[in-house]
């Protein structure tokens, strides 16, 4: 009897065990990712939307499904994302606004989204873009929250996109959504029909102990920010976005966002001046510079952290920008 015949049953059982273990190892993460759905990609989770919603997918899908519902679009990073479109509608009669800001947004993200919406006929006639330094910071990796909508990306098949999405989340992100779904106050709540988000748990902590929050959020930091580390290609993408809106005759208000005093000081005077000049140099048209807006930047209760202002502060910022804008002075006369 040959050795191959002698060991065939044993190796056959071994292979079946290995294949079974590999199948389980693949199936469990995939099932968790789909059923818990931390990034709200599959929309079958009984837990609803968690704190990691993929706004690049959600916003584009919603606007494609409602191409004529809005005539004003808010764009930017998560700093802009906290603003309620109702602020625009209160100040500008006839406006119907949607907040399409993305977490961890870059100008490339905004440009791709704007081009896609223009192709599908869902790009409104008026846009408000929040511009801040975080549009240009280096990204360590392409996080799952940054997955772009398949239709937006050239030369990427939808099948390969969904395959990657099926294994996108980590166990910690799955656990985070499970924990958040059982919390009385969620960390992040999204308004699906308007696009903006709120932070109820953080807001409750500020209300409960404003003195403690003030001491914590504006605590001096030893870390130093540098304008030299910002991504040059994203400044080029911002220039392309400016030119794209001009070609499409979109009326744009560029709002240079305020910075908390601690974040500003972390750059140092020379670096901060260089950053501000670089940002303003990339913009044209109706630009409202609120980067040194003292009504917000020096008040610790106006900030959830060193980067993100509160909803109340955001309302002050957005209202101030609209009142100073040349585009929105005659807004009602130009609405479609």
């Amino acid at each position: 009897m040959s050795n191959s015949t002698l060991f065939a049953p044993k190796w056959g059982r071994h292979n079946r065990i290995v294949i079974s273990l590999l199948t389980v190892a693949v199936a469990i993460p995939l099932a968790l990712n789909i059923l818990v759905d931390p990034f709200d990609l599959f929309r079958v989770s009984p837990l609803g939307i968690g704190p990691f919603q993929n706004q690049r997918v959600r916003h584009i899908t919603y606007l494609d499904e409602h191409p004529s519902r809005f005539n004003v679009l808010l764009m930017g990073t998560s700093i802009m994302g906290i603003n309620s479109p109702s602020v625009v509608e209160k100040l500008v009669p006839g406006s119907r606004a949607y907040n399409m800001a993305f977490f961890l947004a870059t100008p490339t993200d905004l440009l791709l989204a704007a081009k896609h919406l223009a192709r599908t006929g869902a790009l409104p006639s008026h846009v408000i873009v929040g511009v801040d330094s975080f549009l240009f910071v280096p990204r360590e990796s392409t996080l799952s929250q940054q997955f772009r909508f398949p239709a937006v990306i050239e030369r990427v098949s939808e099948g390969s996109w969904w395959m990657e999405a099926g294994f996108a989340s980590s166990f910690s992100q799955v656990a985070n959504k499970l924990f958040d779904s059982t919390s009385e106050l969620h960390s992040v709540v999204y308004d699906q029909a308007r696009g903006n988000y709120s932070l109820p748990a953080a807001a409750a902590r500020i209300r409960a102990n404003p003195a403690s929050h003030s001491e914590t959020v504006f605590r001096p930091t030893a870390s130093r920010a540098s304008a030299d580390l910002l991504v040059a290609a994203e400044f080029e993408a911002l220039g392309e976005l400016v030119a794209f809106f001009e070609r499409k005759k979109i009326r744009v208000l560029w709002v240079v966002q305020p910075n908390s005093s601690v974040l500003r000081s972390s750059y140092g005077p020379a670096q901060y001046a260089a950053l501000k000049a670089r940002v303003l140099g990339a913009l044209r048209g109706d630009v409202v510079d609120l980067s040194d807006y003292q009504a917000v930047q020096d008040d610790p209760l106006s900030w959830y952290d060193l980067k993100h202002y509160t909803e109340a502060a955001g309302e002050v910022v957005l209202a101030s920008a609209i009142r100073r804008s040349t585009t929105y002075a005659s807004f009602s006369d130009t609405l479609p």
Side-chain angles (χ1 to χ4, degrees), residues 94-176:
S95 61
R96 304 182 305 279
Y98 183 86
N99 193 328
M100 197 192 70
F102 301 144
F103 290 156
L104 301 170
T106 65
T108 298
D109 287 321
L110 304 185
L111 178 61
L112 288 172
K115 286 182 175 180
H116 171 80
L117 294 176
R119 287 194 300 269
T120 62
L123 182 63
S125 59
H126 290 66
V127 174
I128 301 174
V129 183
V131 182
D132 57 74
S133 62
F134 302 103
L135 283 167
F136 312 100
V137 298
R139 305 299 186 216
E140 294 181 2
S141 62
T142 302
L143 302 177
S144 298
Q145 298 99 310
Q146 294 177 261
F147 283 175
R148 291 171 179 144
F149 191 59
V152 172
I153 315 171
E154 297 180 357
R155 297 181 298 278
V156 174
S157 71
E158 189 166 344
S160 65
W161 188 92
W162 283 112
M163 181 64 69
E164 184 178 1
F167 297 93
S169 64
S170 66
F171 280 108
S172 64
Q173 289 161 335
V174 169
N176 194 310

Side-chain angles (χ1 to χ4, degrees), residues 44-319:
V44 297
S45 174
L47 301 176
I49 299 171
F52 302 113
Q53 182 205 53
N54 187 316
Q55 296 174 314
R56 286 159 181 75
V57 174
R58 171 66 75 170
H59 288 331
I60 295 293
T61 302
Y62 190 83
L63 289 168
D64 278 348
E65 291 171 350
H66 305 88
S68 303
R69 178 169 294 184
F70 307 103
N71 52 24
V72 181
L73 192 65
L74 280 66
M75 303 176 72
T77 67
S78 56
I79 296 173
M80 176 61 93
I82 206 160
N83 287 298
S84 171
S86 63
V87 176
V88 178
E89 294 167 350
K90 288 176 185 176
L91 293 171
V92 185
S95 61
R96 304 182 305 279
Y98 183 86
N99 193 328
M100 197 192 70
F102 301 144
F103 290 156
L104 301 170
T106 65
T108 298
D109 287 321
L110 304 185
L111 178 61
L112 288 172
K115 286 182 175 180
H116 171 80
L117 294 176
R119 287 194 300 269
T120 62
L123 182 63
S125 59
H126 290 66
V127 174
I128 301 174
V129 183
V131 182
D132 57 74
S133 62
F134 302 103
L135 283 167
F136 312 100
V137 298
R139 305 299 186 216
E140 294 181 2
S141 62
T142 302
L143 302 177
S144 298
Q145 298 99 310
Q146 294 177 261
F147 283 175
R148 291 171 179 144
F149 191 59
V152 172
I153 315 171
E154 297 180 357
R155 297 181 298 278
V156 174
S157 71
E158 189 166 344
S160 65
W161 188 92
W162 283 112
M163 181 64 69
E164 184 178 1
F167 297 93
S169 64
S170 66
F171 280 108
S172 64
Q173 289 161 335
V174 169
N176 194 310
K177 180 172 180 179
L178 289 170
F179 176 79
D180 190 77
S181 67
T182 61
S183 300
E184 184 175 347
L185 282 176
H186 299 302
S187 56
V188 185
V189 172
Y190 300 93
D191 186 338
Q192 298 305 307
R194 308 309 305 274
N196 60 300
Y197 71 93
S198 59
L199 303 173
R205 287 194 295 270
I206 295 176
R207 290 193 301 270
N209 197 335
S212 175
H213 176 79
S214 297
E215 292 176 3
T216 302
V217 74
F218 271 17
R219 183 175 295 158
T221 175
S223 62
R224 307 301 296 176
S226 174
D228 297 331
L229 298 178
L230 301 180
V231 181
E234 293 301 342
F235 282 95
E236 295 174 6
L238 178 60
E240 292 179 35
L241 182 64
V242 173
F244 174 79
F245 283 142
E246 289 176 342
R247 289 196 304 272
K248 294 295 182 181
K249 296 182 172 25
I250 303 299
R251 297 174 66 89
V252 185
L253 166 59
W254 303 94
V255 182
V256 183
Q257 298 275 23
N259 299 292
S260 66
S261 58
V262 175
L263 180 63
R264 176 179 171 173
S265 64
S266 70
Y267 278 97
Q271 286 279 328
Y272 184 76
L275 168 61
K276 182 175 175 179
R278 196 173 182 185
V279 169
L280 291 173
L283 303 175
R284 292 192 299 270
D286 189 6
V287 180
V288 175
D289 179 13
L290 297 177
S291 57
D292 301 319
Y293 194 38
Q294 292 185 345
V296 171
Q297 69 177 15
D298 297 325
D299 177 18
L301 296 182
S302 292
W303 298 87
Y304 285 125
D305 53 40
L306 296 182
K307 303 175 184 178
H308 298 88
Y309 49 58
T310 64
E311 287 98 324
E315 182 170 352
V316 172
V317 170
L318 190 54

